[in-house]
Amino acid sequence: MADKEEVFVGSIDQGTTSSRFLIFNKAGEPVAVHQEEFTQIYPNPGWHEHDPEGIIKSVENCIEGAIKIFEKDGHSKDSIKAIGITNQRETTVVWDTTTGEALHNAIVWTDTRTAGIARELKAQQGSDKIMNICGEPISSYPSATKLLWLLKNVEKVRKVYEAGNLAFGTIDTWLTYKLNGGPEKNVFVSDPTNASRTMFMDIRKLQYSDEMLEFLSYEFDLKKVHMPKIVRSADKEVYGKLSSGPLKGFPIMGCLGDQSAALVGQKGFEAGSAKNTYGTGCFLLYNTGDKPIISTHGLLTTVAFDFDGKPVYALEGSIAVAGSGVKFLMNNLGFSHASHKITELAESVPDNGGLVFVTAFSGLFAPYWIDDAHGTMFGITHHIERGHIARATLEAVCFQTKAILDAMQKDSGHELKELKVDGGMSNSALCMQTQADLVGIPIVRPKMRETTALGAAIAAGFASGVWKTFDELKEVNTAGQTTFEAKLDKQASAKMFKRWSKAVTMSKGWLAEE
Ligand code: G3P
């Protein structure tokens, strides 16, 4: 029988390819988990959508599934003190405020249909100044161009906008709105880690920027669109309560975009700490403390977390394709049905055999920001077999991480001593060893790698008083970590990276004259 005093925190982890609900104890250990994949919609090359209702359903199923396990193990759901949310960022949903119904599929962060809009915005006067306000360069990645595309191309969306009833939200907002029951309760909020991914927010003031809204208005008046109130990442009151399911009436008290959540879950609370999460994409966040650093080397400035009105910032290097590259080998090329088999394939060859795979399926993100780069393989000979392709797919993420770390050192003026890692691809020892070889610093992988979900639980745990100080979390998830030290000599590593850099240059401009 469970200890009566034991307290737990629930965590909704709504990612790009799956949703999960996890329940953590006070030691930061997951005691119950349920996961569900949902449909990925690719209507055209470069397009990527999700069904907004399908996302909600998958989250509800996960809560139900995890609670069943939790109760079967003898716990009472009353010992769950609060719920945190973490989510895929930038992905854009629009709905009608009067009905609460989504007006289109969500446009996913990886979607490149807005490259043309991004180009037009870049050509506008003043485009060189916007990084300093919102922390992000203009590209198809943030939510702004996705909202503009919906306004421009979907009649239903435009009509609701003209009637003054159009709501915009990232997935955190959509989740809290719907899980609270929709228009009736009208909980309409976003935390700064999510709002900083839209381009609409002033990164210093944590409020919507009039200048940005004006710059981005294109042919619309963005002030007519309902945007969620920006609130702290941990708060007792503002996120509302679940309106149905086994946890009906339980409070949501924390919210963090998934990459910020992973930084928190890795306990990257201090300036100078960093983590790299190899999920669907791969995202390196470097905590820069209470001041935002605006990158001059291709990185983003983002909010790491805001637990108490004193925001902490991070420099971010975003890579669009990581686990999705592995999935591509599995689903599109039929390499295998299990991701660990891709690592086994990669291990079946001693090296990449001269093959470089620029996995630019969504253009290239940081630090390159090449919208028109396409996925390209260089160095194909009769020697190349599937193992080399698998290896080159893993290596592509490691090369981009190396480029990001170089940029980060230039921006921050500091050399990182070690890099904490998590996410699906970090399970691959080969991938992590390659990473260490390329960046030349130790790669530290925790035993429990549900750090994203743990981060959201920590946010909710702070708001509900389960934890009160960062110090109380010191021992959480420290046992059993693995460290990968660089083994490859520096010259060989530099040669590999040089080849990658050449391949990046050659991957752009395909279809340019069409
Ligand atoms: O910015 C996109 C990011 O939040 C998606 O994360 O974990 O689905 O790769 P993930």
Side-chain angles (χ1 to χ4, degrees):
M1 208 41 203
D3 178 350
K4 272 208 182 91
E5 296 298 309
E6 235 181 332
V7 291
F8 298 88
V9 184
S11 179
I12 295 169
D13 181 356
Q14 203 304 296
T16 310
T17 54
S18 70
S19 300
R20 290 192 264 206
F21 188 67
L22 294 90
I23 302 166
F24 288 94
N25 63 18
K26 210 179 162 180
E29 297 155 343
V31 297
V33 184
H34 187 87
Q35 169 169 356
E36 205 170 287
E37 297 217 343
F38 55 89
T39 312
Q40 305 297 316
I41 307 162
Y42 300 106
N44 284 306
W47 293 30
H48 188 182
E49 299 179 357
H50 289 157
D51 168 14
E53 294 298 339
I55 286 181
I56 302 297
K57 189 78 206 122
S58 73
V59 167
E60 287 171 346
N61 290 346
C62 290
I63 294 175
E64 225 175 279
I67 288 295
K68 266 190 198 143
I69 298 169
F70 188 65
E71 290 188 323
K72 205 164 140 235
D73 288 346
H75 301 294
S76 155
K77 61 186 182 188
D78 293 335
S79 55
I80 299 175
K81 294 298 159 209
I83 297 160
I85 292 181
T86 180
N87 57 281
Q88 52 168 323
R89 307 165 304 165
E90 297 93 14
T91 299
T92 298
V93 190
V94 286
W95 64 95
D96 185 330
T97 53
T98 59
T99 62
E101 271 170 35
L103 297 162
H104 192 270
N105 276 340
I107 301 188
V108 180
W109 60 274
T110 48
D111 190 296
T112 54
R113 80 184 68 178
T114 62
I117 296 181
R119 252 194 314 277
E120 285 176 48
L121 289 173
K122 267 188 221 167
Q124 270 184 197
Q125 213 189 356
S127 67
D128 50 331
K129 299 203 187 81
I130 61 116
M131 266 288 280
N132 193 42
I133 304 172
C134 71
E136 300 184 272
I138 301 166
S139 79
S140 58
Y141 178 39
S143 315
T145 57
K146 302 179 198 305
L147 173 61
L148 292 176
W149 187 92
L150 288 162
L151 281 164
K152 196 171 149 71
N153 294 285
V154 185
E155 205 190 331
K156 205 162 129 192
V157 173
R158 215 170 33 250
K159 279 202 171 131
V160 176
Y161 155 79
E162 275 156 12
N165 298 327
L166 187 71
F168 153 86
T170 40
I171 294 296
D172 56 318
T173 303
W174 176 242
L175 282 174
T176 42
Y177 178 76
K178 291 297 268 191
L179 294 176
N180 270 281
E184 197 192 319
K185 286 273 172 339
N186 198 27
V187 173
F188 190 47
V189 290
S190 182
D191 97 299
T193 68
N194 278 293
S196 60
R197 318 300 298 181
T198 59
M199 287 185 84
F200 299 137
M201 193 186 83
D202 182 316
I203 197 82
R204 293 178 184 81
K205 296 184 184 146
L206 307 196
Q207 291 301 332
Y208 293 112
S209 150
D210 284 346
E211 213 173 319
M212 283 311 306
L213 292 177
E214 223 154 275
F215 177 84
L216 293 164
S217 44
Y218 211 54
E219 55 212 59
F220 304 97
D221 176 5
L222 291 181
K223 289 194 184 149
K224 257 180 86 172
V225 178
H226 298 259
M227 299 213 179
K229 185 172 178 213
I230 302 170
V231 297
R232 290 176 193 175
S233 318
D235 195 292
K236 254 182 148 73
E237 313 288 342
V238 296
Y239 290 109
K241 291 179 178 158
L242 299 189
S243 67
S244 62
L247 293 184
K248 184 174 174 188
F250 282 63
I252 303 167
M253 291 199 186
C255 182
L256 289 163
D258 56 5
Q259 302 310 320
S260 288
L263 183 69
V264 169
Q266 289 268 19
K267 295 172 288 168
F269 301 123
E270 300 298 324
S273 41
K275 69 88 207 177
N276 202 22
T277 302
Y278 302 74
T280 303
C282 180
F283 302 87
L284 202 159
L285 263 66
Y286 175 88
N287 181 329
T288 61
D290 58 3
K291 300 256 167 345
I293 296 179
I294 304 296
S295 174
T296 48
H297 298 93
L299 305 177
L300 308 182
T301 308
T302 202
V303 178
F305 51 88
D306 174 14
F307 291 148
D308 51 7
K310 295 184 205 109
V312 170
Y313 292 92
L315 272 171
E316 172 174 324
S318 329
I319 300 168
V321 174
S324 57
V326 170
K327 280 228 159 95
F328 170 78
L329 299 186
M330 288 159 49
N331 301 343
N332 299 38
L333 303 189
F335 273 31
S336 164
H337 292 298
S339 50
H340 70 270
K341 293 274 181 206
I342 300 295
T343 291
E344 283 172 25
L345 255 181
E347 283 165 349
S348 70
V349 291
D351 53 34
N352 62 24
L355 188 78
V356 177
F357 188 4
V358 184
T359 48
F361 304 163
S362 299
L364 277 175
F365 286 10
Y368 310 105
W369 300 108
I370 309 172
D371 275 344
D372 68 347
H374 281 75
T376 322
M377 279 186 210
F378 296 97
I380 302 173
T381 62
H382 284 300
H383 173 67
I384 295 303
E385 49 186 82
R386 292 189 315 163
H388 296 112
I389 297 176
R391 197 157 180 135
T393 305
L394 302 182
E395 286 180 356
V397 189
C398 302
F399 285 130
Q400 288 169 87
T401 296
K402 150 89 178 142
I404 284 167
L405 261 190
D406 289 350
M408 217 158 255
Q409 283 173 10
K410 286 181 196 145
D411 275 335
S412 68
H414 289 289
E415 266 189 41
L416 209 61
K417 296 277 174 289
E418 62 170 37
L419 181 60
K420 293 177 175 173
V421 296
D422 49 50
M425 265 171 78
S426 73
N427 292 331
S428 164
L430 172 69
C431 187
M432 292 303 99
Q433 186 56 51
T434 307
Q435 191 64 86
D437 287 341
L438 283 170
V439 297
I441 55 171
I443 300 294
V444 181
R445 182 179 71 182
K447 190 167 175 208
M448 197 289 289
R449 296 201 267 287
E450 299 288 3
T451 42
T452 302
L454 176 60
I458 289 174
F462 277 149
S464 59
V466 170
W467 297 288
K468 292 185 182 66
T469 62
F470 291 153
D471 217 43
E472 279 179 60
L473 293 158
K474 224 163 47 202
E475 296 309 316
V476 165
N477 205 18
T478 44
Q481 59 188 26
T482 312
T483 302
F484 298 86
E485 304 276 355
K487 288 186 186 145
L488 192 68
D489 77 76
K490 282 191 175 154
Q491 252 184 336
S493 166
K495 191 174 164 197
M496 279 174 81
F497 188 64
K498 200 170 162 196
R499 250 191 213 180
W500 161 263
S501 304
K502 189 173 175 192
V504 165
T505 314
M506 297 196 314
S507 74
K508 58 182 157 186
W510 170 248
L511 307 181
E513 292 86 42
E514 286 181 19

